[in-house]
Amino acid sequence: MKDREEMTDTIEVLKKGIKNQLESATVTLQLVHQSDDCPENISKILYNQIGALVFCDEELDKLYECLNLLDSLIVFSKIVA
């Protein structure tokens, strides 16, 4: 059981790390995008990239929710069996 707990902890750390990196990249791109020194053509590209990162972040939330539900079902099925 300890291995499962350690694996669960590791997965949670990875999930938080991925989310943090996505959010950090989004904020960084937003800062560059909002800079007065950012050329318009680069600004348009950054705007699209920011949108893609926000979309990925939202989809990760949905994926993590599904994985948590799946994990709960697996645990429940082991209890019932």
Side-chain angles (χ1 to χ4, degrees), residues 10-78:
T10 300
I11 290 170
E12 288 304 314
V13 168
L14 287 172
K15 285 168 39 176
K16 287 179 185 176
I18 291 167
K19 294 271 301 160
N20 286 342
Q21 287 300 314
L22 271 176
E23 291 169 7
S24 176
T26 302
V27 169
T28 301
L29 292 180
Q30 286 172 334
L31 290 173
V32 174
H33 174 0
Q34 293 170 354
S35 168
D36 292 337
D37 297 332
C38 184
E40 187 175 339
N41 60 334
I42 301 297
S43 179
K44 290 177 183 178
I45 293 168
L46 291 176
Y47 182 80
N48 291 333
Q49 293 301 307
I50 292 165
L53 288 173
V54 169
F55 175 77
C56 288
D57 189 46
E58 291 169 355
E59 291 302 306
L60 267 179
D61 287 337
K62 293 175 190 175
L63 176 63
Y64 292 161
E65 187 176 321
C66 289
L67 289 174
N68 288 337
L69 289 172
L70 182 60
D71 189 46
S72 296
L73 286 172
I74 292 169
V75 170
F76 179 74
S77 69
K78 288 180 180 179

Side-chain angles (χ1 to χ4, degrees), residues 1-17 71:
M1 191 64 156
K2 186 177 180 182
D3 289 338
R4 179 173 166 68
E5 290 174 9
E6 288 177 5
M7 192 168 84
T8 301
D9 291 345
T10 300
I11 290 170
E12 288 304 314
V13 168
L14 287 172
K15 285 168 39 176
K16 287 179 185 176
D71 189 46

